[in-house]
Amino acid sequence: MPKNRDAARANLESLYRIFTVPEAPDSTLGAVDQAITDDVAGFLQTHIVAIERSMEEIEASFSSFTIPEEPTYVSEYTEFVKDNLVAQSVHTAAPGFVGHMTSALPYFMLPLARLMTALNQNLVKVETSKAFTPMERQVLAMLHHLVYRLPDDFYPRWIHDSQHALGAFCSGGTIANVTALWVARNRLFAPEGDFRGITQVGLAGALKHRGADGIAVLVSERGHYSFGKAADLLGIGRDNLIKVQTDNSNRIDLKLLKDECRRLQDRNVIPLAIVGIAGTTETGNIDPLEALADFAREIGCHFHVDAAWGGPTLFSDRYRALLAGIERADSVTIDAHKQLYVPMGAGMVVFRDPTALSAIEHHANYILRHGSKDLGSHTLEGSRPGKSMLVHAGFSIIGRKGYELLIDMGIERAKHFADMIRNLPDFELTSEPELNILTYRYAPLKVQQAMENATPQKRAALNALLDQVCMLLQKIQREAGKTFVSRTRLRIARHGEELTVLRVVLANPLTTDEILEGVLREQCEIVQRPEIQALLHQLEELCDDPAAG
Ligand SMILES: *Cc1c(COP(=O)(O)O)cnc(C)c1O
């Protein structure tokens, strides 16, 4: 009998046991624990069920709204977890799951994450983290060096400086982007003379001080939605998040960017920051960072690079140059839970100027005292886990060259997959991979040809039907559960309109060319289904209809 069955009685003795007695290896939880220790990939493979239950069915297991009155057995609860959570989870580590940015993890992340949980350090202050604080500061310095490559004598001065931080470790790219814009905002409205700064007087007072009517952030239409949240949160307003159109390669159009800046000037709105993207979430493209750096300098505004996805490309000797200009950014976001292969919940933002984060510095009497090395004085978040240990582990174990291999493999596989799509006449590549992300759609050759000299109305009608094909195709493939690609809607410059496209992210090193061929083969099979054939039939008729233009 598992020892912790005792915990099912609410008395002091059982309470004591759940804090002290480890789970027996022959108990249900003990067995799960052992199974993921022995072979986590095998465990996921066997316990995640491929066929989806409907969300309604799943919700039924989570519909009670009262906290259980009585304790339960750990084993009983673990059974519940196996059946209702594990079985109905998404197998994000599967090599055929190429639709999102979440992929497989190196095996050592799991035991180290458990160690992290066991230690339960809180990075907000040295008093609850001790060695974890210098370790995290080192991780931030390493990332800073990867991005900025400042001279070697720069780092010893700043790495463990009690007054400053080279960056902020946070739960992901969203908080990293918010932090970057928060710093930019506070530096734009820094205290001077009688003006006590936006931190004290708020946005209205700050604008009055500058005689301005607003502040704006400029980013391409491919910008991540976290900038919308940041604009809302920081008082910028979503209307002042200016989304600049992109060119044929999904990169910000510089001429339009400059036009937008002129329009802001006419409205007496100050550009707070220009954001360049290094690896757009949907298409993996990189903005012209050098040109953006030049322009940001010209108009004297903060230049932020969102490299949440593409940042680790800096590890690659072959592809690093794609990000040229990133080293001129005032701040750079890089997600660790994406291409650093750390479990979910880790991102970072680094600042070129080691004093930049002072703009959001805050202190409290019981912790975060002046002169302490507490990292919490320079972060948006308060209590934080020791996740940086897992980044440290990745940097140490995989190393620059290991990450380089992962990056190079992903980019080359994407180029190869693009070739595979180009070789299928009934598929259309809608965005060329620059990194390891690409988009495409199913579009019969005949429709593609008819599109070329069709009137705008006919094109729109054809595209509307193709959108439906794409949507159905993705849905059927997802529900079949063998392989997975995602879908999105993008304005494709060549078509001049927003289209539904399939999106593939190639970050899992276990994804082989055979698996990718399988993805396309399955899609060719799915389009034979009657519901899609009906749409294809309509497309064909439309193509042949001379009256449709
Ligand atoms: C993923 C991503 C983000 C947001 O990161 P989260 O970790 O999901 O908060 C921001 N920008 C880009 C380009 C991203 O790919």
Side-chain angles (χ1 to χ4, degrees):
M1 177 139 315
K3 285 186 194 157
N4 284 357
R5 290 190 73 85
D6 291 352
R9 264 181 280 118
N11 58 35
L12 272 178
E13 194 198 340
S14 61
L15 200 61
Y16 180 72
R17 293 181 78 90
I18 62 169
F19 282 93
T20 55
V21 182
E23 195 60 26
D26 61 346
S27 69
T28 317
L29 182 57
V32 167
D33 205 25
Q34 194 59 52
I36 60 174
T37 302
D38 291 346
D39 176 15
V40 64
F43 177 86
L44 297 177
Q45 187 63 44
T46 19
H47 288 85
I48 297 177
V49 187
I51 307 298
E52 280 188 23
R53 261 192 238 161
S54 73
M55 272 318 271
E56 288 72 25
E57 275 176 89
I58 296 172
E59 280 162 5
S61 323
F62 300 97
S63 52
S64 164
F65 50 85
T66 53
I67 297 169
E69 180 72 11
E70 296 297 330
T72 191
Y73 298 115
V74 172
S75 293
E76 216 160 88
Y77 177 71
T78 306
E79 290 296 345
F80 173 85
V81 166
K82 275 169 72 179
D83 296 346
N84 296 286
L85 274 177
V86 179
Q88 297 301 319
S89 290
V90 174
H91 195 352
T92 55
F97 182 91
V98 291
H100 285 303
M101 293 177 154
T102 312
S103 91
L105 297 173
Y107 83 88
F108 57 82
M109 289 296 175
L110 180 64
L112 287 175
R114 284 144 57 115
L115 184 58
M116 178 194 92
T117 302
L119 290 166
N120 202 25
Q121 304 291 287
N122 184 350
L123 269 292
V124 72
K125 52 193 186 288
V126 175
E127 286 176 1
T128 51
S129 65
K130 208 164 164 188
F132 270 67
T133 290
M135 180 274 298
E136 185 165 296
R137 285 179 170 277
Q138 182 190 22
V139 165
L140 291 165
M142 286 170 161
L143 194 77
H144 192 282
H145 183 256
L146 177 72
V147 171
Y148 294 112
R149 302 192 172 268
L150 295 184
D152 285 357
D153 60 356
F154 170 87
Y155 292 94
R157 160 72 184 83
W158 298 103
I159 182 168
H160 298 297
D161 184 287
S162 67
Q163 311 294 324
H164 302 100
L166 293 171
F169 198 96
C170 42
S171 64
T174 297
I175 303 295
N177 284 337
V178 169
T179 304
L181 295 185
W182 185 20
V183 166
R185 192 197 69 157
N186 289 7
R187 276 159 67 96
L188 178 64
F189 298 113
E192 54 175 354
D194 290 343
F195 175 62
R196 290 179 302 130
I198 190 170
T199 307
Q200 291 304 320
V201 305
L203 186 61
L207 288 172
K208 199 149 133 209
H209 168 70
R210 293 283 293 257
D213 291 329
I215 48 177
V217 172
L218 297 112
V219 63
S220 92
E221 59 182 324
R222 294 279 173 272
H224 189 263
Y225 59 76
S226 50
F227 292 107
K229 295 183 183 178
D232 177 355
L233 198 62
L234 296 171
I236 298 163
R238 286 177 189 262
D239 285 352
N240 292 322
L241 174 65
I242 311 296
K243 295 185 182 155
V244 183
Q245 275 204 354
T246 49
D247 62 17
N248 284 331
S249 306
N250 298 294
R251 301 184 189 126
I252 194 165
D253 184 319
L254 287 166
K255 188 184 163 297
L256 296 179
L257 171 70
K258 290 176 185 177
D259 291 348
E260 291 289 0
C261 276
R262 241 168 275 128
R263 238 165 288 166
L264 289 176
Q265 209 172 9
D266 294 344
R267 285 171 46 212
N268 194 28
V269 171
I270 307 174
L272 166 68
I274 288 179
V275 177
I277 312 166
T280 57
T281 313
E282 288 163 299
T283 58
N285 291 103
I286 302 158
D287 282 330
L289 302 179
E290 292 280 15
L292 289 177
D294 288 341
F295 184 57
R297 181 183 296 164
E298 187 187 317
I299 64 170
C301 91
H302 186 103
F303 177 37
H304 175 66
V305 171
D306 182 1
W309 179 257
T313 310
L314 292 169
F315 286 120
S316 167
D317 285 342
R318 190 174 307 160
Y319 296 109
R320 183 180 307 127
L322 292 173
L323 272 57
I326 195 172
E327 73 286 353
R328 295 171 62 196
D330 294 296
S331 51
V332 174
T333 287
I334 295 184
D335 250 334
H337 57 215
K338 290 178 181 167
Q339 297 207 82
L340 295 182
Y341 297 89
V342 162
M344 207 52 54
M348 287 167 278
V349 55
V350 286
F351 294 83
R352 189 173 216 286
D353 175 354
T355 67
L357 266 168
S358 303
I360 61 161
E361 187 174 334
H362 58 116
H363 294 280
N365 286 335
Y366 76 106
I367 53 165
L368 316 181
R369 286 177 281 262
H370 288 274
S372 77
K373 298 193 173 187
D374 298 342
L375 284 161
S377 53
H378 294 96
T379 54
L380 172 56
E381 287 163 90
S383 295
R384 277 187 309 108
K387 273 274 162 69
S388 46
M389 167 189 170
L390 303 178
V391 180
H392 195 266
F395 285 173
S396 309
I397 297 171
I398 299 173
R400 203 273 302 165
K401 288 190 172 167
Y403 279 115
E404 173 178 53
L405 215 57
L406 287 164
I407 290 291
D408 288 359
M409 263 169 59
I411 296 177
E412 277 143 34
R413 181 154 296 128
K415 291 192 196 307
H416 185 66
F417 190 49
D419 286 337
M420 283 156 62
I421 292 166
R422 265 189 290 259
N423 286 333
L424 290 171
D426 291 341
F427 283 81
E428 178 189 358
L429 196 64
T430 44
S431 65
E432 199 73 43
E434 192 173 4
L435 296 178
N436 49 5
I437 301 176
L438 57 85
T439 65
Y440 66 102
R441 64 174 179 169
Y442 183 77
L445 183 61
K446 183 173 176 184
V447 180
Q448 292 184 52
Q449 286 165 343
M451 198 91 80
E452 292 196 356
N453 26 30
T455 61
Q457 293 88 326
K458 183 163 172 177
R459 287 177 72 102
L462 290 170
N463 278 325
L465 282 166
L466 287 175
D467 285 351
Q468 287 184 52
V469 170
C470 205
M471 203 181 71
L472 257 178
L473 171 58
Q474 192 267 349
K475 192 165 166 277
I476 295 171
Q477 191 166 17
R478 184 191 69 209
E479 283 171 1
K482 288 203 279 277
T483 54
F484 172 81
V485 303
S486 59
R487 86 178 124 85
T488 185
R489 277 185 71 75
L490 289 179
R491 194 187 60 83
I492 303 291
R494 179 159 38 87
H495 286 275
E497 60 182 313
E498 205 170 82
L499 307 177
T500 300
V501 295
L502 301 171
R503 167 174 169 267
V504 163
V505 183
L506 294 168
N508 187 336
L510 305 177
T511 304
T512 59
D513 292 341
E514 291 71 48
I515 288 170
L516 293 176
E517 275 158 18
V519 168
L520 291 172
R521 202 177 321 114
E522 193 180 356
Q523 290 174 346
C524 290
E525 283 160 22
I526 291 171
V527 297
Q528 301 306 321
R529 298 222 189 170
E531 59 266 51
I532 294 190
Q533 282 298 314
L535 288 167
L536 293 176
H537 187 67
Q538 281 183 50
L539 272 162
E540 187 132 341
E541 282 185 341
L542 192 55
C543 284
D544 293 338
D545 181 2

